[in-house]
Amino acid sequence: MARLKIDGNEIEVPDHFTLLQACEEAGIEVPRFCFHERLSVAGNCRMCLVEVKGGPPKPQASCAMGVRDIRGGPNGELAEVFTNTPMVKKAREGVMEFLLINHPLDCPICDQGGECDLQDQAMAFGIDSSRYSEDKRAVEDKYIGPLVKTVMNRCIHCTRCVRFTTEVAGIAELGLIGRGEDAEITTYLEQAMTSELQGNVVDLCPVGALTSKPFAFTARPWELGKTESIDVMDALGSAIRVDTRGREVMRILPRVNDDINEEWISDKSRFIWDGLKTQRLDRPYIRRDGRLTPATWGEAFEAVKSAVSATTGDKIGAIAGDLASVEEMYALSELVRSLGSENLDCRQDGAALDPSLGRASYVFNPTIMGIEHADALLIVGANPRFEAAVLNARIRKRWRRGNFPIGVIGEGGELRYDYEYLGAGTDTLADLAAGKLGFLEVLSKAERPMIIIGQGALTRPDGAAVLSAVADLAGKVGAVTDGWNGFAVLHTAASRVGGLDLGFVPGPKGKIAVEMLSAMDVLFLLGADELDFSQKSAKFTVYIGSHGDNGAMNADVILPAAAYTEKSGTWVNTEGRVQLGYRAGFAPGEAREDWAVLRALSDVLGKKLPFDSLAQLRARLHAAHPHFAEVDEIAPVDSAQIAALAKKGGTMAKSGFASPVKDFYLTNPIARASAVMAECSALARNNFKVAAE
């Protein structure tokens, strides 16, 4: 620790702190443009100037000077820093004047207006006039893709965007070229950025040089209602803020959550919002003469009642989709079980995960934050870049610190960090376990090895055998010990861990999802759209969901429900963390929250569910499954369950692992309804073809 005085107040801070961080610790705001807590220090905006007593007779950039770099007085006096002296005030005013020399007077038409660092700091630390009368410089705007809009006249060359793409996203797509007044940020060849995290440069840009292209000229920040919620585009549960105007979602921004997403979100999470407006189901439908026709709620419920009355419980099934919340899955499971059925499944992709094997067998045990404590990593059957882009950035962050060997068994590809490609499938996994590959020694020597197993290894017919083999390998290399559990299952569906925790899986005589498609008389689909409906021969299908996607197209009755921004719900992320999402708006037309639809349907079916409000539903849910009440907590698991899983064994087929995410931008009904995601998908496919050629 280091002791120093800041504006006369004594403070003690860690000795690796910069002067800027020390000032923040003392509760003093220091203006800055280029400095960012999660990026390397550039020291090029000079806005954070302070005066150091006993230092050089000039202002010092507090972001680039550490507390260990300043000295105290000759008689043991503490080092002193001043942030409010006439020298500092004059220096900051001078820097601001220089920054504004070439900055255009765009504020009335700039999308950054109202949340612009340059506006705020010009008011707080600038002066009321400029002495510059020459012509301003002009820089041509650049095309960098369909997501980020550029107005490069506004750029102040803080290089935050350059450092983010290079350090966090892992691909140097932006850079600064030229010198002096010819300096500019560019992609050089003016091509679209390819990172799945590129939208974060919009948040990082302290001026209006980089803004959201889909959001351009649609709203001002002070017009919008702001709701803190949870993202469901992947299984990470990133913290987000949903901004709405009236009933309409206008944009989605990240919130800081160091345990999960730090302050980044993927482009799919950020730009999905236009898909919430299109292809919506806003009224019930019934299939008549082969065509879906509008109906009333009463007619739709009566049609379902007729179908249920004409069959028996063992011919009724329910499949939960990837975006479903815990509450609606609980309501559906209670309804279907009350009808005498054991046919429930939340694993529409057929993943070989079973809650009877224990929670440790299907969650990301080391936690997302735990990646930073691991010292070796093996990835089996997963492509984290597409399956969990923000988690992939966390892996890269740990890799950049060094001494972090990474091995991959599966498809490989560009992951944004270096790794050793071991092989494609089960043969490689068996060879590694048998000690035929050197990477086994790397894992064994590591103090905290981690093994990530993805859905590409679990959705195969031999998924259970692969899961057992990986659990066995984890035991061999010491990945599961008293102080460390490095066995990590990476999910791709936001609803999956919550469904498994609920026990939304077939009973002893129940059928799995793929079997239900052909064996049921009545099949309930709770937003389940990722099934192979060419195999469907179920007599009567009820779709409860928000978008007219695959499930709705194959339904006999459609009951319109709410999207994730239109309901309050509980989700459990891949590491087993319970999270709450909050309603930011209301569903369109006659659509209602999923649990309310099921509650009304249960009354018509004569199996009335014992709750009339969300609060009552949650009370029963928490009574049956207490850990759902522990919001933002991860329930402890029993590591012995992994050893028991390793003993299950099984025969693995000789074939390669393939990631289930074929197109990052089109993985769910909301994404497929989004014009922005469709454009990104087409661009990505085109880039892939060019790269292949």
Side-chain angles (χ1 to χ4, degrees):
M1 302 292 283
R3 299 177 68 82
L4 70 159
K5 280 187 176 181
I6 298 177
D7 290 344
N9 298 317
E10 192 173 315
I11 186 173
E12 186 174 21
V13 296
D15 60 2
H16 64 268
F17 267 32
T18 63
L19 294 185
L20 189 151
Q21 290 171 304
C23 292
E24 296 279 331
E25 193 76 11
I28 299 167
E29 182 183 359
V30 177
R32 85 294 294 270
F33 292 113
C34 68
F35 177 80
H36 191 277
E37 291 82 356
R38 303 187 197 278
L39 303 175
S40 61
V41 173
N44 54 11
C45 80
R46 318 311 285 180
M47 194 65 210
C48 63
L49 297 173
V50 297
E51 182 180 347
V52 179
K53 182 178 180 180
K58 62 178 183 178
Q60 301 295 310
S62 60
C63 71
M65 178 174 278
V67 294
R68 65 179 70 163
D69 297 331
I70 60 175
R71 297 180 180 179
N75 300 316
E77 298 96 335
L78 292 177
E80 287 198 62
V81 175
F82 299 98
T83 67
N84 54 9
T85 61
M87 177 204 281
V88 172
K89 185 174 185 295
K90 183 178 180 182
R92 289 177 180 172
E93 287 175 352
V95 169
M96 181 58 69
E97 188 176 7
F98 273 117
L99 286 174
L100 294 176
I101 275 177
N102 281 310
H103 195 80
L105 299 176
D106 273 353
C107 299
I109 59 153
C110 177
D111 272 316
Q112 198 83 348
E115 48 190 13
C116 174
D117 291 353
L118 188 63
Q119 277 183 334
D120 297 341
Q121 294 185 35
M123 286 292 292
F125 304 102
I127 53 178
D128 62 354
S129 61
S130 172
R131 295 169 285 177
Y132 189 75
S133 58
E134 286 75 23
D135 293 336
K136 290 178 181 280
R137 79 177 196 139
V139 181
E140 188 177 341
D141 295 341
K142 310 293 189 297
Y143 170 76
I144 59 174
L147 303 179
V148 182
K149 176 186 175 186
T150 62
V151 187
M152 301 314 290
N153 282 337
R154 303 170 185 160
C155 181
I156 61 170
H157 302 153
C158 70
T159 67
R160 279 186 180 183
C161 56
V162 176
R163 285 174 284 149
F164 173 81
T165 55
T166 305
E167 298 167 11
V168 179
I171 177 167
E173 294 186 299
L174 289 175
L176 188 142
I177 62 170
R179 287 186 172 188
E181 70 171 349
D182 295 324
E184 56 183 287
I185 302 288
T186 177
T187 56
Y188 201 74
L189 295 177
E190 285 205 35
Q191 61 188 22
M193 296 169 68
T194 60
S195 172
E196 295 75 30
L197 299 169
Q198 61 181 281
N200 291 291
V201 301
V202 173
D203 299 329
L204 287 172
C205 185
V207 295
L210 302 175
T211 56
S212 170
K213 190 174 282 188
F215 179 68
F217 305 130
T218 58
R220 286 297 197 184
W222 56 83
E223 302 174 343
L224 304 176
K226 301 168 178 66
T227 307
E228 295 186 349
S229 192
I230 296 299
D231 174 58
V232 299
M233 292 299 110
D234 55 30
L236 291 191
S238 299
I240 59 172
R241 192 186 85 196
V242 182
D243 287 3
T244 54
R245 185 171 59 191
R247 300 173 72 101
E248 189 176 4
V249 175
M250 302 302 294
R251 64 177 180 177
I252 294 174
L253 299 175
R255 290 187 293 122
V256 176
N257 186 333
D258 286 328
D259 291 335
I260 300 173
N261 60 307
E262 298 184 293
E263 59 188 82
W264 323 122
I265 55 174
S266 73
D267 294 338
K268 185 165 54 176
S269 304
R270 181 186 298 271
F271 296 106
I272 197 79
W273 50 267
D274 71 311
L276 293 166
K277 308 172 189 177
T278 53
Q279 293 289 98
R280 290 305 303 268
L281 300 172
D282 58 357
R283 67 183 70 179
Y285 287 85
I286 297 176
R287 190 175 296 277
R288 297 186 176 104
D289 299 324
R291 293 176 61 86
L292 287 167
T293 57
T296 65
W297 279 104
E299 290 170 343
F301 285 164
E302 282 300 322
V304 177
K305 181 180 180 181
S306 298
V308 170
S309 302
T311 188
T312 56
D314 62 328
K315 289 292 185 179
I316 298 173
I319 304 173
D322 291 350
L323 308 183
S325 71
V326 169
E327 286 84 354
E328 60 214 46
M329 286 191 287
Y330 176 71
L332 181 57
S333 65
E334 291 293 289
L335 175 59
V336 171
R337 287 187 176 120
S338 71
L339 295 171
S341 174
E342 296 181 351
N343 303 310
L344 297 163
D345 207 346
C346 64
R347 309 159 301 183
Q348 56 177 339
D349 56 7
L353 297 168
D354 190 340
S356 67
L357 299 174
R359 201 169 194 245
S361 70
Y362 61 82
V363 297
F364 201 94
N365 292 293
T367 73
I368 297 167
M369 175 73 87
I371 292 171
E372 298 191 24
H373 304 297
D375 50 8
L377 173 64
L378 175 66
I379 300 173
V380 180
N383 186 328
R385 179 185 156 197
F386 296 132
E387 295 172 26
V390 176
L391 181 139
N392 198 55
R394 183 84 73 155
I395 296 174
R396 175 176 166 78
K397 178 183 178 182
R398 173 63 187 89
W399 170 80
R400 288 185 71 237
R401 284 189 2 227
N403 298 318
F404 190 53
I406 302 172
V408 171
I409 301 176
E411 286 182 331
E414 174 56 68
L415 295 181
R416 309 302 195 203
Y417 40 79
D418 294 337
Y419 61 86
E420 181 181 345
Y421 184 68
L422 304 176
T426 52
D427 285 353
T428 306
L429 181 61
D431 289 346
L432 180 65
K436 297 179 181 179
L437 300 176
F439 200 78
L440 181 71
E441 188 177 354
V442 173
L443 290 172
S444 300
K445 287 183 177 179
E447 288 185 25
R448 290 178 297 277
M450 180 188 290
I451 302 177
I452 295 177
I453 179 168
Q455 300 305 298
L458 299 175
T459 54
R460 302 151 42 102
D462 62 348
V466 176
L467 182 66
S468 178
V470 172
D472 185 49
L473 178 62
K476 281 183 179 177
V477 300
V480 183
T481 60
D482 289 341
W484 174 255
N485 187 338
F487 181 80
V489 178
L490 179 60
H491 290 274
T492 56
S495 66
R496 188 64 48 81
V497 176
L500 293 170
D501 283 352
L502 274 177
F504 201 100
V505 293
K509 298 179 181 178
K511 297 187 180 301
I512 62 173
V514 68
E515 294 172 340
M516 284 189 231
L517 282 175
S518 56
M520 296 296 107
D521 286 343
V522 178
L523 179 61
F524 291 94
L525 300 177
L526 185 61
D529 293 275
E530 315 307 322
L531 298 156
D532 181 6
F533 287 102
S534 64
Q535 307 294 318
K536 185 178 90 73
S537 58
K539 293 179 182 176
F540 191 87
T541 304
V542 182
Y543 181 78
I544 306 164
S546 60
H547 282 71
D549 204 73
N550 300 330
M553 293 301 101
N554 287 275
D556 296 292
V557 169
I558 295 174
L559 304 178
Y564 73 104
T565 56
E566 299 156 0
K567 60 189 174 188
S568 295
T570 304
W571 282 270
V572 186
N573 78 347
T574 191
E575 60 184 354
R577 185 184 301 274
V578 178
Q579 299 176 291
L580 282 183
Y582 294 95
R583 184 174 64 194
F586 290 90
E590 298 177 41
R592 296 292 182 266
E593 294 184 43
D594 307 63
W595 71 265
V597 172
L598 291 162
R599 163 63 181 79
L601 176 60
S602 70
D603 210 356
V604 174
L605 296 179
K607 301 290 184 181
K608 184 177 177 181
L609 292 171
F611 47 79
D612 295 315
S613 67
L614 183 61
Q616 291 176 2
L617 188 161
R618 282 181 172 163
R620 295 188 66 85
L621 172 66
H622 297 163
H625 305 276
H627 76 282
F628 286 125
E630 303 295 326
V631 178
D632 206 34
E633 297 292 332
I634 302 174
V637 299
D638 182 2
S639 298
Q641 293 168 346
I642 298 173
L645 175 64
K647 295 176 182 176
K648 290 284 182 183
T651 303
M652 297 186 292
K654 294 188 176 182
S655 59
F657 301 130
S659 172
V661 178
K662 303 303 179 188
D663 190 329
F664 169 76
Y665 297 102
L666 304 178
T667 55
N668 60 62
I670 304 175
R672 290 190 285 270
S674 165
V676 175
M677 293 295 101
E679 187 175 354
C680 291
S681 173
L683 202 60
R685 287 197 302 271
N686 188 51
N687 288 339
F688 179 78
K689 288 178 183 175
V690 170
E693 290 169 2

